[in-house]
């Protein structure tokens, strides 16, 4: 992060802490229709036209460490195999044999030399080429070249692997706008995979995603945790094209250190925005990451049907050299889970509310604008004209996007 950006964010925090109203000209938001959280037609559009056309985080290279290492991705419906090739490139394929759809692998992860379908034995290389099949004489004019596995776009930000089911999607790094640049300061190539965990919650995925895009709730549900070290009134926000955003919340005291990071190596190139504040990125749609010089979680929000969801948290820490993982990560995860359970405590009640006649929409204020930005982008990705008129979000933030 360059000096000018650091200065701009610092003066932004000062401005936000001292303002007495939203900036002049800032819009009043219409309520976001509750149907966007429950309406089956809307949620089907969201699934098909947003989730299946977005770059989604899948895994870290450490989880597929050598040629033939693979793991299964099942977050958006059709199972997708992510595999490291003999040339070290990472590729993704639907786990679907070109003969009659048998599964190429049945385990969630492992290591293989190639794919042999368990149904009739068609055999594919790690880069998806069909190379062998039984009783070839029985197929008329079969050209093996025409029956490679169907691939899925698979690209990386450093060692982090993302997939996208849209063959025409803009390249990952281009689609992320300024985010890869901001990440350089924490040396992504030195971040190693440390741990992952999954938490199931009974609400629409957006109920909890919304909660991780604002800090207006700190004083109520995190009064004994986050609110003690973060000052939400100084929060400064950058809204970027593509629905991405950054929220930087100042620490209450500049010398405050997360006890869960003690003893962990820290990345010396991190700016003071990272070391003395809490910068939280949203990679649209579902990756929220508060980065830190001594390690970061990727907090991922996944729909599980229309009314349930999973929060998956993947942890990374700066390379600790040879030997065991740093011992303090366990405490750090314990601390994080305590905060996470504060965040999830009302999720089921809110889901019941969005289904209640008593709910007249999501009413947002200036400091909750990342949520409105997220929903505006959802309509753009679905295609505004396709969204039922009563469920649309009226665009209000065009003049507030940093380009
Ligand atoms: S379905 Fe795979 S070989 Fe027949
Ligand atoms: Fe929270």
């Amino acid at each position: 992060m360059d000096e000018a950006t650091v200065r701009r964010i610092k003066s932004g925090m000062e401005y936000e802490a001292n303002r007495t109203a939203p900036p002049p000209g800032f819009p009043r938001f219409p309520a976001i229709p509750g149907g966007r959280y429950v309406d089956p037609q809307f949620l089907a559009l969201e699934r098909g036209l947003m989730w299946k056309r977005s770059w989604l985080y899948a895994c870290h290279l450490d989880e597929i460490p050598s040629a033939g290492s693979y793991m299964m991705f099942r977050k958006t419906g059709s199972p997708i195999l992510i595999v490291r090739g003999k040339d070290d490139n990472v590729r993704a394929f639907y786990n679907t044999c070109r003969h009659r759809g048998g599964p190429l692998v049945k385990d969630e992860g492992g290591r293989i030399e190639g794919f042999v379908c368990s149904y009739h034995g068609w055999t594919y290389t790690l880069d998806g080429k069909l190379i062998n099949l039984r009783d070839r004489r029985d197929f008329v004019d079969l050209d093996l070249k025409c029956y490679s596995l169907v691939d899925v776009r698979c690209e990386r930000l450093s060692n982090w692997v993302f997939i996208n089911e849209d063959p025409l999607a803009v390249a990952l790094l281009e689609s992320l706008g300024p985010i890869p640049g901001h990440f350089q300061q924490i040396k992504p190539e030195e971040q190693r995979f440390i741990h992952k965990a999954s938490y199931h919650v009974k609400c629409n995925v957006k109920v909890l995603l919304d909660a991780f895009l604002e800090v207006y709730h700190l004083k109520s549900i995190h009064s004994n945790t986050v609110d003690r070290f973060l000052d939400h009134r100084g929060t400064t926000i950058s809204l970027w094209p593509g629905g991405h955003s950054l929220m930087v919340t100042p620490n209450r005291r500049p010398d405050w250190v997360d006890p869960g990071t003690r003893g962990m190596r820290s990345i010396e190139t991190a700016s003071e925005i990272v070391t003395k504040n809490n910068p939280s990125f949203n990679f649209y749609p579902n990756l929220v990451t508060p980065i830190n010089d001594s390690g970061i979680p990727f907090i991922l929000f996944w729909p599980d049907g229309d009314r349930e969801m999973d929060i998956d948290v993947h942890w990374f820490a700066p390379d600790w050299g040879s030997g065991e993982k740093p011992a303090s990560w366990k405490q750090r995860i314990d601390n994080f889970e305590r905060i996470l359970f504060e965040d999830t405590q009302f999720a089921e009640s809110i889901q019941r509310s969005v289904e209640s006649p008593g709910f007249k929409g999501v009413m947002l204020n200036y400091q909750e604008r990342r949520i409105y930005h997220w929903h505006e982008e959802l309509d753009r990705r679905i295609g505004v004209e396709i969204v039922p008129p009563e469920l649309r979000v009226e665009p209000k933030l065009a003049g507030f996007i940093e380009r």
Side-chain angles (χ1 to χ4, degrees):
M1 191 174 272
D2 59 38
E3 279 299 310
T5 308
V6 170
R7 271 200 306 279
R8 187 172 50 75
I9 293 177
K10 282 174 71 176
S11 69
M13 289 190 288
E14 207 178 308
Y15 163 79
E16 298 290 352
N18 294 310
R19 66 181 170 78
T20 54
F26 194 82
R28 178 178 176 276
F29 292 127
I32 292 182
R36 294 168 71 91
Y37 299 76
V38 293
D39 182 87
Q41 188 194 351
F42 182 84
L43 296 173
L45 292 172
E46 179 186 298
R47 219 171 15 255
L49 299 174
M50 189 278 277
W51 290 96
K52 282 186 171 283
R53 288 186 184 175
S54 294
W55 284 107
L56 302 171
Y57 178 71
C59 65
H60 188 278
L61 274 190
D62 288 354
E63 296 173 85
I64 41 171
S66 53
S69 299
Y70 72 91
M71 57 177 297
M72 196 73 90
F73 178 91
R74 298 182 184 274
K75 297 297 187 183
T76 49
S78 311
I80 294 168
L81 263 170
I82 297 167
V83 61
R84 188 141 161 175
K86 295 203 163 115
D87 56 1
D88 236 17
N89 284 328
V90 179
R91 297 180 178 84
F93 304 102
Y94 289 107
N95 185 30
T96 299
C97 177
R98 291 297 306 274
H99 176 220
R100 281 168 51 201
L104 303 158
V105 299
K106 288 173 286 185
D107 297 331
E108 293 308 296
R111 196 166 167 274
I112 37 171
E113 292 298 319
F115 306 110
V116 182
C117 177
S118 3
Y119 202 178
H120 315 88
W122 282 29
T123 304
Y124 304 84
T125 57
L126 293 177
D127 56 0
K129 294 192 186 75
L130 176 62
I131 48 166
N132 208 356
L133 61 138
R134 192 185 310 145
D135 299 336
R136 195 168 166 185
R137 63 181 181 169
D138 290 329
F139 289 89
V140 179
D141 292 337
L142 179 71
D143 181 355
L144 267 55
K145 287 197 295 301
C146 298
Y147 292 89
S148 296
L149 297 177
V150 175
D151 63 344
V152 174
R153 292 281 297 281
C154 180
E155 295 176 19
R156 283 161 42 195
L157 165 59
S158 184
N159 294 330
W160 291 299
V161 179
F162 292 72
I163 59 109
N164 191 330
E165 289 187 71
D166 178 4
L168 302 176
V170 171
L172 171 70
L173 296 184
E174 188 186 339
S175 81
L176 289 175
I179 293 178
H182 287 306
F183 262 59
Q184 284 313 310
Q185 61 183 311
I186 55 148
K187 296 191 174 168
E189 65 290 353
E190 291 192 27
Q191 301 287 340
R192 286 173 60 184
F193 175 75
I194 204 159
H195 178 78
K196 65 180 172 187
S198 188
Y199 310 86
H200 191 74
V201 189
K202 290 188 173 148
C203 67
N204 178 265
V205 66
K206 298 188 292 300
V207 167
L208 272 178
L209 242 171
D210 290 353
F212 280 74
L213 297 178
E214 49 89 1
V215 283
Y216 185 44
H217 65 272
L218 298 197
K219 284 213 165 293
S220 302
I221 67 174
H222 301 305
S223 56
N224 288 316
T225 53
V226 189
D227 186 55
R228 287 163 72 168
F229 51 87
L230 294 187
D231 180 5
H232 79 283
R233 288 175 61 87
T235 298
T236 183
I237 286 172
S238 302
L239 306 177
W240 292 317
H244 311 300
S245 61
L246 166 66
M247 168 174 79
V248 183
T249 308
N251 287 352
R252 287 196 183 279
R253 292 178 36 184
D255 57 346
W256 183 83
V257 177
D258 178 349
T261 66
R262 290 211 180 98
M264 288 176 116
R265 202 194 125 202
S266 61
I267 296 282
E268 62 292 342
T269 46
S271 71
E272 67 179 280
I273 299 304
V274 169
T275 57
K276 293 189 167 55
N277 304 277
N278 183 285
S280 184
F281 292 84
N282 176 212
F283 294 47
Y284 197 92
N286 71 329
L287 166 53
V288 170
T289 177
I291 64 171
N292 183 279
D293 55 331
S294 63
I296 60 177
F298 274 8
I299 310 170
L300 296 147
F301 299 80
W302 298 109
D304 178 9
D306 291 351
R307 288 173 165 77
E308 300 193 21
M309 62 145 332
D310 291 307
I311 300 183
D312 290 357
V313 187
H314 297 230
W315 287 89
F316 310 96
D319 192 356
W320 54 87
S322 54
E324 288 296 301
K325 296 173 189 176
S328 52
W329 71 269
K330 286 204 181 69
Q331 172 173 7
R332 189 154 174 190
I333 290 165
D334 285 350
N335 294 350
F336 175 85
E337 285 186 342
R338 190 170 154 215
I339 296 164
L340 181 67
F341 297 145
E342 291 174 346
D343 279 307
T344 56
Q345 65 184 305
F346 297 130
E348 280 188 45
S349 309
I350 294 170
Q351 182 64 30
R352 280 194 289 274
S353 282
V354 292
E355 296 176 26
S356 158
F359 191 80
K360 300 297 180 197
V362 177
M363 205 289 215
L364 298 171
N365 69 32
Y366 166 71
Q367 60 165 296
E368 296 171 297
R369 62 195 180 281
R370 288 174 88 208
I371 300 174
Y372 204 88
H373 178 55
W374 195 100
H375 279 265
E376 278 194 20
E377 178 66 15
L378 177 57
D379 284 7
R380 284 190 288 270
R381 294 212 183 190
I382 291 174
V384 176
E385 63 296 340
I386 300 176
V387 178
E390 69 282 9
L391 296 180
R392 285 180 197 161
V393 164
E394 187 188 337
K396 289 282 181 187
L397 287 168
F400 297 86
I401 312 285
E402 290 178 16
R403 291 177 196 276

